[in-house]
Amino acid sequence: MSDSYSAAPPTGFAQQVHDALKAWSADPSAGATLADLTAVQLELAAGAANPRRAVNTLLLHGLKTLAATHDRDAALLRLRFVEDLSARSVAKRLNAAEPSIYRWQAQAIDRLAAVLWQMEQAAIQQRVAAQAARLEPESYLRLFGVETHQATLLQVLCADGPPYLLAIEGGGGIGKTSLADAVLRAAIRQRPNGEVAWVSARQQRLDLAGRLHSLQQPALTADGLLEALAVQLLPGAPRFTARERAIHALRARFDRQPTLVAVDNLETAADVDSLLPLLRQLANPAKFLLTTRHSLYGEPGIYHLRVPELSEPDALSLVRLEAGQRNLAELSQASDAGLHPIYETVGGNPLALRLVVGQAHVYSLHAILADLAA
């Protein structure tokens, strides 16, 4: 409902809670007030038959919590709305004057609204954590020089309508994966009721000591992509034996909930050519964010963002940050003039800059730069 984790309910929330209580026995087909809450979405995911049932379950949880501190308030609201008794009948039950019931009811609804809002904040945090767990571990401490690109991508991804396919393009080590990761993390916070998925086609990893590691996973195929998406977005569903059934199930899932999918490290033209037809089938309303070294400018209907190298100030800031984290005091405290040879030799490629810092534990900066220049 909101991306701000405020302890105080927003204006009008108590009235929404009152409306939800009054609709306790309403026809489920008519919809439900509070149905857009993250806490209600979690009840639906847990098996609630429809939004009305999910809202009622949340209200019962709230009343139980309220009863621990304000038993009379919880009892009054149960009698008035769950048991659907008139104010006069409740007054007799509680041995009170009828005007007092209305006054107590207003106070009880305010208190229940505060309880439900706290539950909503907890549900948002739970869902944000669950969505973020689908992403790969962050490989960066901070991103430099991509703030504008990040804001632009986030706006395009979270807007309704096209484009549905977006490509972050650039050379190896330029920061495509880190940018995609940062954008999806921001999208999760902005739209906690949405869905995200992350599928990687990476087959090799370069560590910061300069060693290349082969990852024990096959190249990403169309069937592999479908299986990875089903595991993340259709938990509990049986494994699909037919591609069309998997596509149909995923599209039905996308229609129910806004979904962003990152397909990372499509490094060759063959990767793109084999997966692009499937991505076009799956896209709309789901949006797909691709990271690739391969230029897709020749493909229709794709939003392109090419990641540039870092400027020298950003590059040197990255070097100092990495050096500080690695206890390389001389490098982290060096002047711009002292660090300029790094930028002059390797440019503004973030991975190349981090590799220089990684090598500085073993070799002198002069030797590293000489090797790179050679």
Side-chain angles (χ1 to χ4, degrees), residues 31-341:
T33 304
L34 303 182
D36 61 338
L37 290 179
T38 299
V40 173
Q41 298 300 316
L42 292 178
E43 293 295 340
L44 285 167
N50 53 60
R52 163 56 47 209
R53 291 282 183 86
V55 169
N56 285 358
T57 300
L58 179 64
L59 290 171
L60 287 175
H61 291 329
L63 289 171
K64 183 177 180 180
T65 302
L66 179 64
T69 54
H70 297 87
D71 184 62
R72 187 190 69 182
D73 289 350
L76 186 153
L77 294 178
R78 283 180 178 273
L79 292 170
R80 285 286 285 126
F81 300 105
V82 179
E83 298 185 24
D84 197 24
L85 298 181
S86 66
R88 178 175 297 181
S89 298
V90 174
K92 290 181 179 179
R93 289 274 193 101
L94 300 182
N95 194 26
E98 186 173 342
S100 297
I101 296 302
Y102 288 108
R103 187 174 67 254
W104 294 349
Q105 176 179 300
Q107 184 181 62
I109 289 172
D110 285 341
R111 287 173 174 160
L112 178 60
V115 167
L116 292 175
W117 190 247
Q118 289 180 352
M119 294 171 65
E120 171 66 359
Q121 302 315 293
I124 288 175
Q125 298 284 17
Q126 176 185 340
R127 184 157 179 80
V128 165
Q131 296 285 299
R134 295 177 182 170
L135 308 182
E136 295 182 349
E138 291 174 279
S139 61
Y140 53 90
L141 299 169
R142 177 186 162 191
L143 297 184
F144 293 91
V146 294
E147 294 84 357
T148 300
H149 300 315
Q150 184 176 342
T152 299
L153 280 173
L154 182 63
Q155 182 178 7
V156 173
L157 280 170
C158 291
D160 294 332
Y164 298 106
L165 296 176
L166 297 87
I168 300 176
E169 301 169 357
I174 200 66
K176 303 182 296 295
T177 295
S178 295
L179 177 57
D181 177 88
V183 170
L184 256 65
R185 290 182 190 277
I188 290 169
R189 294 190 296 271
Q190 182 168 312
R191 297 195 312 182
N193 283 342
E195 287 279 0
V196 303
W198 184 280
V199 184
S200 179
R202 185 189 296 119
Q203 292 185 278
Q204 291 182 320
R205 179 179 65 84
L206 185 69
D207 68 24
L208 296 185
R211 295 183 295 265
L212 193 63
H213 302 270
S214 294
L215 302 181
Q216 299 301 312
Q217 64 182 43
L220 185 62
T221 63
D223 289 338
L225 174 61
L226 289 171
E227 183 175 354
L229 292 177
V231 167
Q232 295 179 58
L233 302 174
L234 301 172
R239 186 171 182 176
F240 294 100
T241 56
R243 181 181 297 186
E244 289 306 316
R245 294 183 67 178
I247 292 172
H248 178 77
L250 286 167
R251 286 197 57 85
R253 184 75 179 87
F254 298 155
D255 287 338
R256 293 195 301 271
Q257 206 155 21
T259 305
L260 306 178
V261 178
V263 183
D264 185 38
N265 274 276
L266 297 177
E267 302 296 22
T268 69
D271 290 331
V272 175
D273 291 343
S274 65
L275 292 176
L276 204 50
L278 173 61
L279 295 176
R280 292 192 187 281
Q281 276 187 279
L282 292 171
N284 183 8
K287 296 196 176 188
F288 288 80
L289 180 62
L290 319 179
T291 72
T292 178
R293 297 183 190 184
H294 180 63
S295 173
L296 302 180
Y297 289 113
E299 296 289 345
I302 297 179
Y303 181 99
H304 303 273
L305 190 151
R306 188 160 190 87
V307 183
E309 288 197 347
L310 298 181
S311 66
E312 183 168 355
D314 285 331
L316 300 190
S317 294
L318 174 59
V319 168
R320 290 193 179 97
L321 177 64
E322 289 286 331
Q325 290 291 322
R326 292 169 170 272
N327 193 28
L328 295 166
E330 183 177 356
L331 202 57
S332 68
Q333 297 168 15
S335 66
D336 285 358
L339 296 179
H340 174 73

